[in-house]
Amino acid sequence: QVQLVESGGGLVQPGGSLRLSCAASGFTFSVYAMSWYRQAPGKERELVARISNLGGITNYADSVKGRFTISRDNAKNTVYLQMNSLKPEDTAVYYCATNIFKSYWGQGTQVTVSS
């Protein structure tokens, strides 16, 4: 079965960096696009970044362009989100996701940006 397991979240000061990882299993990873979403308290879940199956195409939310980088290692079945210049408004639970006839989500990892 499809499994997505995020890691790498934590507490970081404004201006700091974190790298999130999402380990995938149960499907042919290199065939499918992968995405990172986030959900802040009281807000709807929003798309942060998306990467095509071979990594050649990436898309970002305007709010993270120039600060976040999505990448993937198909040999390791893992997708990453490098987050730099973090702001308090980046505080949220971050989820990785894919769509294989339906949406699959990980359990999420908390990112808190605070001094």
Side-chain angles (χ1 to χ4, degrees), residues 46-61:
E46 63 172 348
L47 177 65
V48 175
R50 184 178 183 274
I51 187 167
S52 61
N53 64 314
L54 298 181
I57 300 173
T58 57
N59 303 99
Y60 297 91

Side-chain angles (χ1 to χ4, degrees), residues 2-111:
V2 174
Q3 285 195 315
L4 301 171
V5 180
E6 301 96 337
S7 61
L11 173 64
V12 63
Q13 292 187 342
S17 298
L18 282 175
R19 188 175 84 153
L20 306 183
S21 299
C22 173
S25 61
F27 63 104
T28 306
F29 184 74
S30 61
V31 172
Y32 296 96
M34 297 294 298
S35 301
W36 284 98
Y37 285 77
R38 68 185 181 186
Q39 187 167 21
K43 295 188 176 181
E44 292 188 355
R45 193 171 295 190
E46 63 172 348
L47 177 65
V48 175
R50 184 178 183 274
I51 187 167
S52 61
N53 64 314
L54 298 181
I57 300 173
T58 57
N59 303 99
Y60 297 91
D62 287 343
S63 58
V64 307
K65 279 181 183 176
R67 300 188 298 122
F68 290 11
T69 302
I70 189 170
S71 62
R72 65 191 294 161
D73 185 338
N74 285 350
K76 296 182 178 180
N77 286 4
T78 302
V79 61
Y80 304 98
L81 186 67
Q82 178 67 43
M83 305 185 296
N84 298 329
S85 302
L86 282 161
K87 304 175 181 180
E89 51 263 43
D90 294 318
T91 295
V93 178
Y94 284 71
Y95 301 89
C96 69
T98 192
N99 189 291
I100 308 170
F101 303 111
K102 69 172 189 176
S103 294
Y104 291 89
W105 302 86
Q107 83 287 352
T109 186
Q110 176 71 48
V111 172

